[in-house]
């Protein structure tokens, strides 16, 4: 591919469509707990009501120019404990926009913290991303990444410096992983998920943590001086090979399934692509009782991705690091296998 060529009824139906359009699909969700719901603060309740009132329009299936077939996984493929590289990006700006869920609707979203492409706003598309600059370490990564903004009381909390964004293999046969197509976009997680759904989500890694306190679905109550609030969350890594987006911004993607004790892509989503993992660090310590996300409580954490990598750069990193079973840094260099060399030069560009 050449770069840049480019039913329910009545009230129930309306409510379901609103949730689906908001990127609230069932991917990785579990049933809500039975019995009484836990009490929520007035702030959380008000925010939930705001989300329902601001329900976005339904999205649409966006076909890829050239459909892609999956590579049959090799059950005898060599195992590699690490098969990854980093695409670390700094925060560029914040704003009440979401070009995936609320396209061309400025100010309609809860506030987001944007990383990567510095042009990202409600009107973002493939052309605007291609023309933009990036806060990512690799100049060829003009992708847009965003997540709900964190507040400590009324003060906005922005992560400082490049944040770790891993690109990994989500399946055992790392040799069959392919690069993303330009323009692929999706939502990871669900801002309306319950605490139980967040904790059991297939993308959940260690939840919220600070110091030695980890595995939390809510914010730790007190963080040691000098520590930060961290969260890690993984994206689906199996693609249907046919669509750049779907009505709920999730159905064209899926998490791997287990077959014969191996992680593989399901038949419905046969194309293995890099598994993105956010590892975000928010500069908050001490008392966290006033910490919240723009989307609600800690377990409303989610994020969005809109791919705009230079295709040659992404392909080289995927082949060398993921397919090659290496633990690479942002240049595609594995310090444990220095003889394998690096993909990018000292300026993080292809030589």
């Amino acid at each position: 591919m050449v770069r840049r060529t480019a039913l329910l009824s009545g009230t129930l139906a309306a409510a379901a469509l609103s949730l689906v359009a908001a990127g609230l699909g069932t991917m990785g969700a579990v049933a809500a707990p039975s019995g009484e719901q836990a009490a929520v603060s007035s702030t959380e309740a008000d925010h939930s009501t705001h989300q329902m009132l601001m329900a976005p329009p339904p999205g649409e299936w966006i076909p890829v120019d050239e459909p892609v077939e999956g590579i049959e996984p090799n059950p005898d493929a060599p195992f590699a404990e690490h098969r990854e590289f980093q695409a670390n990006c700094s925060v560029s700006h914040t704003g009440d926009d979401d070009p995936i869920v609320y396209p061309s609707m400025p100010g309609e979203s809860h506030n987001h913290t944007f990383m990567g492409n510095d042009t990202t706003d409600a009107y973002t598309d493939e052309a605007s991303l291609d023309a933009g600059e990036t806060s990512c370490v690799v100049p060829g990564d003009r992708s847009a990444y965003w997540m709900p903004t964190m507040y400590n009381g009324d003060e906005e909390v922005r992560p400082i410096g490049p944040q770790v964004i891993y690109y990994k293999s989500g399946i055992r046969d790392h040799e069959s992983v392919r690069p993303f197509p330009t323009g692929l976009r999706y939502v990871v997680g669900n801002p309306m998920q319950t605490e139980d759904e967040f904790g059991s989500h297939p993308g959940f890694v260690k939840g919220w943590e600070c110091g030695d306190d980890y595995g939390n679905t809510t914010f730790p109550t007190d963080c040691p001086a000098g520590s930060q609030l961290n969260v890690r969350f993984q994206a689906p890594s199996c693609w249907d090979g046919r669509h750049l987006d779907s009505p709920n911004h999730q159905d064209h993607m899926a998490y791997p399934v287990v077959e014969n004790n191996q992680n593989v892509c399901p038949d419905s989503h046969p194309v293995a692509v890099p598994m993105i993992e956010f590892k975000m660090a928010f500069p908050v310590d001490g008392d966290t009782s006033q910490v919240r996300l723009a989307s609600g409580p800690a377990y409303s954490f989610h994020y969005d991705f809109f791919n705009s990598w230079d295709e040659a750069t992404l392909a080289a990193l995927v082949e060398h690091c993921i397919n090659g079973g290496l633990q690479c840094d942002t240049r595609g260099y594995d310090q444990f296998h220095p003889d394998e060399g690096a993909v990018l030069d000292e300026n993080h560009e292809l030589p």
Side-chain angles (χ1 to χ4, degrees):
M1 187 183 300
V2 179
R3 179 174 176 82
R4 313 305 174 195
T5 58
L7 271 171
L8 295 170
S9 62
T11 304
L12 287 177
L17 286 174
S18 294
L19 291 174
V20 168
L24 310 179
T26 58
M27 182 175 63
V30 296
S34 59
E36 293 186 1
Q37 294 290 328
V40 296
S41 69
S42 60
T43 299
E44 293 172 11
D46 290 346
H47 180 78
S48 177
T49 301
H50 174 76
Q51 282 191 317
M52 295 302 293
L53 291 174
M54 303 297 287
E60 60 183 14
W61 291 100
I62 300 178
V64 67
D65 289 340
E66 300 176 16
V68 177
E69 302 300 327
I71 299 174
E72 187 71 23
N74 177 11
D76 299 320
F79 174 76
E81 183 176 359
H82 300 286
R83 55 270 196 201
E84 65 187 46
F85 66 90
Q86 296 182 26
N88 301 346
C89 307
S90 301
V91 172
S92 57
H93 60 288
T94 60
D96 297 334
D97 292 337
D98 188 325
I100 294 179
V101 179
Y102 292 91
S104 302
M105 298 174 66
E108 293 298 298
S109 170
H110 56 250
N111 198 268
H112 283 109
T113 292
F114 295 93
M115 298 172 290
N117 204 294
D118 61 7
T119 68
T120 311
D121 61 18
Y123 301 100
T124 289
D125 57 19
E126 290 184 41
S128 67
L129 291 176
D130 190 32
E133 299 295 330
T134 184
S135 65
C136 297
V137 173
V138 179
D141 184 8
R142 290 186 290 274
S143 302
Y145 308 85
W146 63 96
M147 59 189 172
T149 297
M150 178 180 285
Y151 295 92
N152 191 358
D154 294 327
E155 182 180 353
E156 182 181 285
V157 179
R158 294 191 183 190
I160 300 171
Q163 298 300 294
V164 179
I165 301 174
Y166 290 110
Y167 277 58
K168 302 183 176 183
S169 174
I171 62 172
R172 184 186 184 281
D173 181 11
H174 54 88
E175 295 179 344
S176 66
V177 176
R178 294 184 172 192
F180 296 122
T182 298
L184 182 72
R185 68 211 73 168
Y186 53 76
V187 177
V188 182
N190 182 340
M192 296 295 289
Q193 63 207 351
T194 66
E195 184 175 350
D196 286 345
E197 288 171 338
F198 177 62
S200 61
H201 194 283
F204 185 92
V205 182
K206 292 186 177 180
W208 291 97
E209 56 183 329
C210 64
D212 295 326
D213 188 0
Y214 56 88
N216 300 289
T217 52
T218 58
F219 297 127
T221 56
D222 188 80
C223 291
S227 66
Q228 300 188 90
L229 270 174
N230 299 281
V231 66
R232 294 175 64 178
F233 210 77
Q234 296 177 343
S237 57
C238 297
W239 175 46
D240 69 6
R242 298 293 184 269
H243 302 95
L244 298 176
D245 199 4
S246 51
N248 68 354
H249 317 296
Q250 294 186 334
D251 282 348
H252 57 307
M253 302 295 297
Y255 284 88
V257 296
V258 178
E259 292 183 4
N260 299 319
N261 295 318
Q262 295 186 14
N263 283 349
V264 299
C265 284
D267 292 340
S268 59
H269 297 75
V271 184
V273 292
M275 182 267 285
I276 288 178
E277 178 182 316
F278 266 29
K279 185 179 180 182
M280 303 289 111
F282 298 86
V284 174
D285 61 5
D287 178 16
T288 65
S289 61
Q290 300 302 308
V291 176
R292 60 185 172 86
L293 298 176
S295 53
Y299 50 81
S300 72
F301 182 80
H302 59 287
Y303 61 89
D304 302 55
F305 169 66
F306 198 139
N307 178 44
S308 187
W309 272 87
D310 170 71
E311 289 183 357
T313 303
L314 179 60
L317 286 165
V318 169
E319 179 179 6
H320 182 75
C321 300
I322 297 180
N323 299 156
L326 300 177
Q327 186 178 12
C328 294
D329 61 13
T330 54
R331 288 187 56 211
Y333 175 76
D334 184 346
Q335 63 176 332
F336 302 106
H337 296 88
D339 54 308
E340 296 291 342
V343 176
L344 307 178
D345 63 20
E346 61 276 7
N347 297 316
H348 285 83
E349 298 179 334
L350 287 173

